[in-house]
Amino acid sequence: MSSLRSIFRSSQDRVWEQVAQELGARFHPATPFGRNAAFTAFHEDWFINFDLIGNPKSGYKTRIRAPYLNADSFQFRVFRRAGLNISWIPGVQDIEIGDAVFDKEYLIQSNDPIKVKELFAPQKIRELIAWQANIELRNNVDDTWVSHPFHEGLSELYLEIPGIVKNPDQLKDIYELFAAILNHLCHLGSAYEDDPLIFGKS
Protein backbone atom coordinates (compact mmCIF):
# COMPACT_ATOMS: atom_id res chain seq x y z
CA MET A 1 0.00 0.00 0.00
CA SER A 2 1.43 3.43 -0.90
CA SER A 3 2.19 5.94 1.84
CA LEU A 4 -0.31 8.37 0.25
CA ARG A 5 -2.98 5.67 0.35
CA SER A 6 -2.17 5.00 4.02
CA ILE A 7 -2.49 8.68 4.88
CA PHE A 8 -5.83 8.90 3.03
CA ARG A 9 -7.19 5.86 4.83
CA SER A 10 -6.08 6.93 8.28
CA SER A 11 -7.60 10.38 7.70
CA GLN A 12 -10.93 8.97 6.55
CA ASP A 13 -10.90 6.36 9.31
CA ARG A 14 -10.39 8.95 12.04
CA VAL A 15 -13.17 11.24 10.89
CA TRP A 16 -15.70 8.52 10.10
CA GLU A 17 -14.98 6.67 13.35
CA GLN A 18 -15.49 9.91 15.30
CA VAL A 19 -18.84 10.58 13.58
CA ALA A 20 -19.92 6.96 14.05
CA GLN A 21 -19.26 7.25 17.79
CA GLU A 22 -21.26 10.47 18.01
CA LEU A 23 -24.20 8.92 16.15
CA GLY A 24 -24.05 5.62 18.05
CA ALA A 25 -23.28 3.92 14.73
CA ARG A 26 -21.33 0.80 13.77
CA PHE A 27 -17.91 1.69 12.39
CA HIS A 28 -16.31 -0.61 9.80
CA PRO A 29 -12.56 0.18 9.53
CA ALA A 30 -10.58 -0.02 6.32
CA THR A 31 -8.96 -3.36 5.55
CA PRO A 32 -5.50 -4.17 4.18
CA PHE A 33 -7.20 -5.66 1.12
CA GLY A 34 -8.64 -2.43 -0.26
CA ARG A 35 -11.98 -1.90 1.49
CA ASN A 36 -12.40 1.68 2.66
CA ALA A 37 -13.81 2.66 6.03
CA ALA A 38 -17.59 2.77 6.32
CA PHE A 39 -20.20 3.15 9.02
CA THR A 40 -23.82 2.20 9.58
CA ALA A 41 -26.01 4.56 11.58
CA PHE A 42 -29.53 3.90 12.83
CA HIS A 43 -32.66 6.02 12.95
CA GLU A 44 -35.68 4.41 14.55
CA ASP A 45 -36.17 1.15 12.60
CA TRP A 46 -34.04 2.16 9.63
CA PHE A 47 -30.31 1.96 9.06
CA ILE A 48 -28.29 4.47 7.05
CA ASN A 49 -25.06 3.20 5.49
CA PHE A 50 -22.11 5.45 4.56
CA ASP A 51 -19.36 4.12 2.28
CA LEU A 52 -17.26 4.99 -0.78
CA ILE A 53 -17.50 3.93 -4.41
CA GLY A 54 -14.86 4.38 -7.08
CA ASN A 55 -11.08 4.05 -7.01
CA PRO A 56 -7.96 6.24 -6.92
CA LYS A 57 -7.75 6.38 -10.72
CA SER A 58 -11.35 7.33 -11.52
CA GLY A 59 -12.00 9.20 -8.29
CA TYR A 60 -14.24 8.52 -5.33
CA LYS A 61 -17.81 9.34 -4.43
CA THR A 62 -19.30 9.23 -0.97
CA ARG A 63 -22.39 7.03 -1.07
CA ILE A 64 -25.21 6.96 1.47
CA ARG A 65 -28.05 4.42 1.33
CA ALA A 66 -31.04 3.62 3.51
CA PRO A 67 -33.32 0.70 2.59
CA TYR A 68 -36.98 1.04 3.49
CA LEU A 69 -40.25 -0.76 2.82
CA ASN A 70 -42.13 1.28 0.25
CA ALA A 71 -45.87 1.62 0.41
CA ASP A 72 -46.42 2.84 -3.16
CA SER A 73 -44.56 3.47 -6.42
CA PHE A 74 -43.57 7.06 -5.59
CA GLN A 75 -40.28 8.03 -7.28
CA PHE A 76 -38.20 11.19 -7.05
CA ARG A 77 -34.75 12.57 -7.88
CA VAL A 78 -33.23 15.92 -6.98
CA PHE A 79 -30.05 17.40 -8.48
CA ARG A 80 -28.26 20.71 -8.27
CA ARG A 81 -28.72 22.10 -11.80
CA ALA A 82 -25.20 23.50 -12.29
CA GLY A 83 -22.78 21.18 -14.06
CA LEU A 84 -24.97 18.08 -14.17
CA ASN A 85 -25.97 16.04 -17.19
CA ILE A 86 -29.45 14.90 -16.19
CA SER A 87 -31.00 11.93 -17.94
CA TRP A 88 -34.72 11.66 -18.39
CA ILE A 89 -36.63 8.91 -16.59
CA PRO A 90 -39.69 7.65 -18.52
CA GLY A 91 -42.90 8.40 -16.68
CA VAL A 92 -41.57 11.19 -14.47
CA GLN A 93 -41.91 14.96 -14.75
CA ASP A 94 -39.72 17.95 -13.92
CA ILE A 95 -41.39 19.60 -10.95
CA GLU A 96 -41.23 23.05 -9.38
CA ILE A 97 -42.17 23.05 -5.71
CA GLY A 98 -42.97 26.75 -5.34
CA ASP A 99 -39.78 27.89 -3.60
CA ALA A 100 -38.22 30.27 -6.14
CA VAL A 101 -34.65 29.92 -4.83
CA PHE A 102 -34.82 26.14 -4.54
CA ASP A 103 -36.49 25.74 -7.94
CA LYS A 104 -33.74 27.86 -9.54
CA GLU A 105 -30.93 25.81 -7.99
CA TYR A 106 -32.36 22.30 -8.22
CA LEU A 107 -34.03 20.05 -10.73
CA ILE A 108 -36.63 17.72 -9.25
CA GLN A 109 -38.11 14.80 -11.17
CA SER A 110 -40.98 12.68 -9.92
CA ASN A 111 -43.89 10.51 -11.03
CA ASP A 112 -46.17 12.26 -8.50
CA PRO A 113 -46.06 16.10 -8.62
CA ILE A 114 -48.36 16.57 -5.64
CA LYS A 115 -46.50 14.18 -3.36
CA VAL A 116 -43.03 15.44 -4.29
CA LYS A 117 -44.09 19.01 -3.44
CA GLU A 118 -45.25 17.73 -0.06
CA LEU A 119 -41.99 15.81 0.44
CA PHE A 120 -39.88 18.94 -0.04
CA ALA A 121 -42.29 21.29 1.71
CA PRO A 122 -40.47 21.23 5.10
CA GLN A 123 -37.93 24.05 5.15
CA LYS A 124 -35.51 21.92 7.15
CA ILE A 125 -35.29 19.31 4.37
CA ARG A 126 -34.60 22.01 1.76
CA GLU A 127 -31.96 23.58 4.01
CA LEU A 128 -30.19 20.26 4.56
CA ILE A 129 -30.11 19.68 0.80
CA ALA A 130 -28.85 23.22 0.14
CA TRP A 131 -25.98 22.76 2.61
CA GLN A 132 -24.47 20.14 0.28
CA ALA A 133 -22.23 21.64 -2.40
CA ASN A 134 -23.08 18.78 -4.79
CA ILE A 135 -25.94 16.38 -4.49
CA GLU A 136 -27.63 13.57 -6.39
CA LEU A 137 -30.46 12.34 -4.19
CA ARG A 138 -33.06 9.83 -5.28
CA ASN A 139 -35.05 6.83 -4.21
CA ASN A 140 -34.42 3.54 -5.98
CA VAL A 141 -37.74 1.75 -6.17
CA ASP A 142 -37.76 -2.05 -6.01
CA ASP A 143 -33.98 -2.14 -5.93
CA THR A 144 -31.63 -4.69 -4.42
CA TRP A 145 -29.56 -3.99 -1.34
CA VAL A 146 -25.90 -4.95 -1.72
CA SER A 147 -25.80 -8.70 -2.36
CA HIS A 148 -28.99 -9.56 -0.50
CA PRO A 149 -31.75 -11.14 -2.56
CA PHE A 150 -34.49 -8.69 -3.46
CA HIS A 151 -37.55 -9.01 -1.33
CA GLU A 152 -40.83 -7.46 -2.36
CA GLY A 153 -41.43 -3.86 -1.38
CA LEU A 154 -37.82 -2.96 -0.64
CA SER A 155 -36.58 0.41 -1.87
CA GLU A 156 -33.67 2.61 -0.86
CA LEU A 157 -33.04 6.27 -0.28
CA TYR A 158 -29.81 6.94 -2.17
CA LEU A 159 -27.34 9.82 -2.25
CA GLU A 160 -24.02 10.31 -4.05
CA ILE A 161 -21.61 13.17 -3.38
CA PRO A 162 -18.46 13.64 -5.50
CA GLY A 163 -15.28 13.15 -3.51
CA ILE A 164 -14.64 11.88 -0.01
CA VAL A 165 -16.68 13.63 2.65
CA LYS A 166 -14.41 14.09 5.65
CA ASN A 167 -16.15 17.05 7.29
CA PRO A 168 -17.83 15.72 10.47
CA ASP A 169 -20.60 18.33 10.37
CA GLN A 170 -21.40 17.49 6.75
CA LEU A 171 -21.63 13.77 7.54
CA LYS A 172 -23.98 14.49 10.44
CA ASP A 173 -26.07 16.82 8.26
CA ILE A 174 -26.47 14.02 5.71
CA TYR A 175 -27.59 11.65 8.45
CA GLU A 176 -30.12 14.26 9.60
CA LEU A 177 -31.35 14.72 6.01
CA PHE A 178 -31.94 10.99 5.58
CA ALA A 179 -33.73 10.76 8.93
CA ALA A 180 -35.99 13.68 8.01
CA ILE A 181 -36.86 12.28 4.57
CA LEU A 182 -37.57 8.78 5.89
CA ASN A 183 -39.85 10.23 8.55
CA HIS A 184 -41.64 12.40 6.00
CA LEU A 185 -42.06 9.52 3.55
CA CYS A 186 -43.89 7.70 6.32
CA HIS A 187 -46.03 10.76 6.99
CA LEU A 188 -46.95 10.87 3.29
CA GLY A 189 -47.84 7.18 3.21
CA SER A 190 -44.93 6.24 0.93
CA ALA A 191 -42.90 4.25 3.47
CA TYR A 192 -43.51 1.88 6.35
CA GLU A 193 -41.86 2.31 9.71
CA ASP A 194 -41.06 -1.42 9.85
CA ASP A 195 -37.48 -2.64 10.04
CA PRO A 196 -36.49 -3.61 6.45
CA LEU A 197 -34.79 -6.68 8.03
CA ILE A 198 -31.64 -6.53 5.92
CA PHE A 199 -29.61 -7.34 8.98
CA GLY A 200 -30.10 -7.17 12.72
CA LYS A 201 -29.09 -4.27 14.92
CA SER A 202 -27.68 -6.25 17.81
Side-chain angles (χ1 to χ4, degrees), residues 15-167:
V15 173
W16 284 35
E17 185 173 18
Q18 171 195 333
V19 172
Q21 290 175 349
E22 293 180 18
L23 295 177
R26 289 180 181 171
F27 176 68
H28 314 289
T31 70
F33 307 103
R35 189 186 73 184
N36 298 305
F39 68 90
T40 304
F42 299 96
H43 173 66
E44 297 182 1
D45 272 344
W46 299 293
F47 69 85
I48 303 169
N49 194 72
F50 290 70
D51 64 6
L52 298 180
I53 54 175
N55 56 63
K57 186 175 181 179
S58 64
Y60 287 100
K61 290 183 180 181
T62 301
R63 178 176 65 174
I64 305 92
R65 296 177 291 170
Y68 67 93
L69 296 173
N70 64 297
D72 55 20
S73 58
F74 176 51
Q75 291 180 268
F76 67 89
R77 302 198 308 175
V78 57
F79 302 84
R80 190 178 290 274
R81 290 181 183 271
L84 287 174
N85 181 18
I86 307 303
S87 60
W88 178 260
I89 301 177
V92 305
Q93 305 176 40
D94 291 346
I95 311 296
E96 292 188 351
I97 63 171
D99 179 324
V101 174
F102 196 85
D103 288 333
K104 182 179 179 179
E105 291 291 325
Y106 296 94
L107 175 64
I108 298 174
Q109 297 180 329
S110 178
N111 62 347
D112 190 327
I114 294 175
K115 184 164 285 189
V116 83
K117 290 178 182 179
E118 294 175 345
L119 177 63
F120 293 108
Q123 183 178 353
K124 186 62 175 178
I125 289 179
R126 298 198 305 275
E127 286 179 349
L128 288 165
I129 290 172
W131 290 345
Q132 304 301 319
N134 258 310
I135 196 165
E136 179 185 343
L137 175 66
R138 66 181 185 266
N139 68 329
N140 294 327
V141 177
D142 291 345
D143 205 352
T144 57
W145 175 254
V146 195
S147 60
H148 292 266
F150 169 76
H151 69 78
E152 188 175 358
L154 181 65
S155 296
E156 66 178 3
L157 187 60
Y158 186 96
L159 170 63
E160 286 183 7
I161 297 177
I164 303 154
V165 177
K166 291 188 282 187
N167 182 313

